[in-house]
Amino acid sequence: MSSGSSVEKGESLKDTVLTLSAHRPDAIVIRTPWAGSAELVAGWTDAAIVNAGDGKHEHPTQALLDVYTLRQRLGDINGAKIWIVGDVLHSRVARSNILAFQKMGALVTVCGPPTLIPRGIEAMGCDIRYSLTDLPDADVIYALRMQHERMDQAWIPSLREYASVYQINGRRLLPRQVLMHPGPVNRGVELSGEVVDSPQAAILAQVQAGVVVRMAVLYEVLAGARAPQPAPEPQLA
Amino acid sequence: MNLIDPLVRAPAPAAEILIRHAHVLDPREGLDGPHDVLVRGGVIARIAEPGTLEPPDGTETVHASGRRLFPAFVDPHVHLRTPGQEHKEDLESGTRAAAAGGFCAVVAMPNTSPVTDSTPILRSLRDAAARDARIPVGFMPAITVGMNGTELTEMAELRAQGALGFTDDGKPVVSAGMLRKALQYQRLCGGVLALHEEDPTLSSAGAMHEGAISALLGIAGIPSISESTLVARDCAIAGYEGGRVHMQHLSAIESVQAVAAAKAAGIQVTCEASPHHLTLTHEAVRTMDTRMKMNPPLRTEEDRQALIAGLKDGTIDCIATDHAPHARDEKEVPFEQAPMGTTGLETAFASVFTDLVLPGVLSLELVVEKLTVGGSLLDLPLPRIAVGEPANLTLVDTDQVWQVGEHGYESRSANCSFAGRRLRGRVLMTLAAGSVAYRERAFSVTAVPTPERTA
């Protein structure tokens, strides 16, 4: 909810939501750069709110579709070792997936440059690694997108070095491992081209799952939760 | 240097009041028991056994049996927002809130719009306070012009015009060299330098304490070391120059340790902690309630315990609210976008009393001492319950339970981190500099002397 919208013209988030709500929508899907926005606006409207990403906080539908994809691949996630690799600090996908994967019984490890692993993340129950040495232990490798602007702010010395240390490539990806990524991929940075195109990659399956899972979310908030009310019998005039 | 009185307030009639049967507590005066206190012409005229004083003609009698009478509190750190941000607070509403919290004097910070950094602005502020302020207000102009950290304000002239001391509060003096020059200038003009300690290269875009909860919420963190490293640095500079500094709103255990070490080394440093840092932790930020967003941020339980221990062992000299009002629509935004600050004047005593005194963590004597001493760290007179002293008194019902915000606030702003909490301890009346500055609405008083129950 930003480009070309009234938020861009200086309208407050509250006024935007009040204005949209005046149209009596059943649901509002909101994506903002600010943590907690979805919960905040839920207090200003009767519409169901779907969080499509709030800042670096959470991206719940991504986590749902990732769980869906993994269950299709592995059958069961319980006990699976899942490594989330890359810029965890700035990733809402990472935060939602740590919660979702753990809820499904998986063991989550986060791995990335020490500057991009948030202090205190172990309180979420995950392990922390700063190198890929133990990556062969993983059943699933979930690579995060490395954004170029992180280099400008000196979070990492260079993308080249990042790739040499953290890139998932043909040498590092084992045949039995599943490779995931939220997209869009920076080929040659967090993933080498050959692994993106490998059979281990579930990246396109994630995209497909995105459609059905988000359809299900919308069905749930639009119809599912309100279903109990039976439709009135048509009255003949 | 020839100084004028740094405290200003609007003219108010001198109080003629007899407070009967109050439990008087002034630890520094050795008072702890029921007394009658007679105020004549705004001055404490007599302190006597309970029930022994009769009101002279024209004197109001306040029946205060079961109530506590303290020396009124002094807050060395408030934001009254005048000039330029009167939609948040002004001198009238801010001092009304202070009086309602039991304060008889407050010290206003200079991060106004424009910044209070020149004699014309200071003079106009003092003129405004002489019209609008219900209790005496002292002003601390900026250390550097525009609080930009690059050139000193005209400190000597500002002092001559009533500047209590100097601070760039809201911002640190980032340059060690600049702080050193200000401390050198302090030899000429006096005035404590109050310091907001935060290394911006460490706090960066942070919006809350860096730790487990910021990691969970994906909100950029403000590490404790952003405060403690600057506390340590500035103590060292003050020690080298032989200057006096006051560390504002300590929040981290490492900062308490740094101040303790500096004091042990004989450096002239004092410091304060706020009621919210003493009673809340970053757990309160889990819901991303913007009323819990302030700078420095609420930190961990370990930090909170260190602040409490610091109060007890004398490392932390006083409690200061850092009352920071913000308008409703400014705070009604996502957490990361919200301005920093919580109001605190009206809840200062009740929050500390409820969360720290009642559970037995701190004694009431210590809390009264720490709430009254703040001004004296900046060379203001200490409020005392003693014959011949101006009446700076606050009458408190320590049994009354009230819900914060239930009936609104005296402050123009409602961004209170204790909003909705049920607190014990209600200020019934405040006398500041000899005048009645506040009466609680439901608190009945009568000018007609009535037969007194013997307590």
Side-chain angles (χ1 to χ4, degrees), chain B residues 28 74 76 192 244 372-383:
Chain B
R28 280 179 296 260
V74 180
V192 173
R244 285 174 69 198
T372 48
V373 78
S376 75
L377 307 174
L378 310 174
D379 300 330
L380 291 175
L382 201 57

Side-chain angles (χ1 to χ4, degrees), chain A residues 219-231:
Chain A
Y219 178 82
E220 186 63 24
V221 300
L222 293 175
R226 301 173 192 195
Q229 203 81 313

Side-chain angles (χ1 to χ4, degrees), chain B residues 218-269:
Chain B
I219 292 174
I222 301 173
S224 298
I225 51 168
S226 75
E227 177 178 279
S228 61
T229 56
L230 233 59
V231 168
R233 183 199 79 174
D234 291 350
C235 284
I237 299 170
Y240 185 76
E241 290 298 341
R244 285 174 69 198
V245 292
H246 174 74
M247 300 299 173
Q248 300 178 302
H249 45 50
L250 291 199
S251 65
I253 181 171
E254 296 89 343
S255 305
V256 181
Q257 290 163 347
V259 169
K263 284 187 166 184
I267 293 165
Q268 300 179 77
V269 55

Side-chain angles (χ1 to χ4, degrees), chain A residues 13-14 33-37 39-40 44 54-57 95 99 118-121 123-124, chain B residues 210-220 223 286-288 328 332-337:
Chain A
L13 183 60
K14 182 175 186 180
W34 312 111
S37 298
E39 251 185 290
L40 184 67
W44 296 328
D54 59 331
K56 298 179 280 290
H57 178 216
R95 257 167 282 271
L99 295 173
R119 189 182 177 90
I121 191 84
M124 293 183 75
Chain B
E210 179 178 86
I213 295 175
S214 66
L216 175 71
L217 297 177
I219 292 174
R286 268 186 197 276
T287 58
M288 292 185 255
R328 180 191 167 102
E332 214 171 30
V333 294
F335 189 87
E336 290 154 292
Q337 289 188 300

Side-chain angles (χ1 to χ4, degrees), chain B residues 103-432:
Chain B
F103 291 87
C104 65
V106 292
V107 177
M109 297 295 111
N111 59 339
T112 47
S113 180
V115 171
T116 308
D117 62 359
S118 68
T119 48
I121 298 173
L122 176 62
R123 219 176 294 148
S124 78
L125 264 178
R126 286 172 57 89
D127 289 349
R131 281 193 314 271
D132 300 333
R134 292 212 175 187
I135 65 168
V137 182
F139 295 96
M140 276 196 145
I143 296 171
T144 65
V145 175
M147 293 175 37
N148 287 326
T150 50
E151 47 183 318
L152 292 181
T153 56
E154 293 169 335
M155 290 168 66
E157 282 191 10
L158 284 161
R159 278 285 280 172
Q161 293 293 326
L164 185 55
F166 301 92
T167 180
D168 277 2
D169 179 47
K171 284 184 183 179
V173 178
V174 175
S175 156
M178 182 57 55
L179 180 70
R180 184 188 177 195
K181 288 190 181 75
L183 281 163
Q184 290 171 329
Y185 231 69
Q186 192 184 52
R187 287 186 214 137
L188 164 69
C189 55
V192 173
L193 300 185
L195 302 175
H196 167 117
E197 299 297 36
E198 172 187 352
D199 182 335
T201 65
L202 289 169
S203 57
S204 188
M208 65 178 293
H209 173 67
E210 179 178 86
I213 295 175
S214 66
L216 175 71
L217 297 177
I219 292 174
I222 301 173
S224 298
I225 51 168
S226 75
E227 177 178 279
S228 61
T229 56
L230 233 59
V231 168
R233 183 199 79 174
D234 291 350
C235 284
I237 299 170
Y240 185 76
E241 290 298 341
R244 285 174 69 198
V245 292
H246 174 74
M247 300 299 173
Q248 300 178 302
H249 45 50
L250 291 199
S251 65
I253 181 171
E254 296 89 343
S255 305
V256 181
Q257 290 163 347
V259 169
K263 284 187 166 184
I267 293 165
Q268 300 179 77
V269 55
T270 56
C271 64
E272 68 191 33
S274 74
H276 48 274
H277 288 109
L278 288 164
T279 60
L280 300 168
T281 70
H282 64 158
E283 287 291 336
V285 184
R286 268 186 197 276
T287 58
M288 292 185 255
D289 181 341
T290 59
R291 288 173 296 205
M292 301 298 177
K293 181 178 179 184
M294 65 283 287
N295 192 17
L298 299 175
R299 298 197 189 271
T300 66
E301 180 61 16
E302 186 192 17
D303 294 301
R304 188 178 81 88
Q305 291 299 338
L307 295 175
I308 292 168
L311 271 185
K312 284 180 167 173
D313 69 20
T315 303
I316 295 174
D317 298 273
C318 71
I319 298 172
T321 66
D322 190 9
H323 177 80
H326 290 292
R328 180 191 167 102
D329 53 332
E330 293 165 339
K331 279 284 197 180
E332 214 171 30
V333 294
F335 189 87
E336 290 154 292
Q337 289 188 300
M340 309 267 201
T342 172
T343 59
L345 284 168
E346 292 166 73
T347 49
F349 175 79
S351 57
V352 174
F353 183 73
T354 305
D355 286 350
L356 298 176
V357 176
L358 287 178
V361 176
L362 294 179
S363 70
L364 183 58
E365 291 79 6
L366 185 77
V367 166
V368 168
E369 206 179 307
K370 298 292 185 183
L371 277 168
T372 48
V373 78
S376 75
L377 307 174
L378 310 174
D379 300 330
L380 291 175
L382 201 57
R384 297 167 56 208
I385 304 185
V387 171
E389 287 290 313
N392 288 302
L393 302 166
T394 185
L395 186 65
V396 177
D397 183 345
T398 50
D399 295 322
Q400 192 174 326
V401 176
W402 57 292
Q403 186 173 351
V404 178
E406 188 181 21
H407 302 296
Y409 300 88
E410 300 292 339
S411 168
R412 184 157 297 158
S413 293
N415 57 304
C416 184
S417 51
F418 299 103
R421 280 283 311 278
R422 292 181 68 76
L423 298 180
R424 188 179 290 263
R426 185 88 177 140
V427 173
L428 302 176
M429 187 168 75
T430 304
L431 277 77

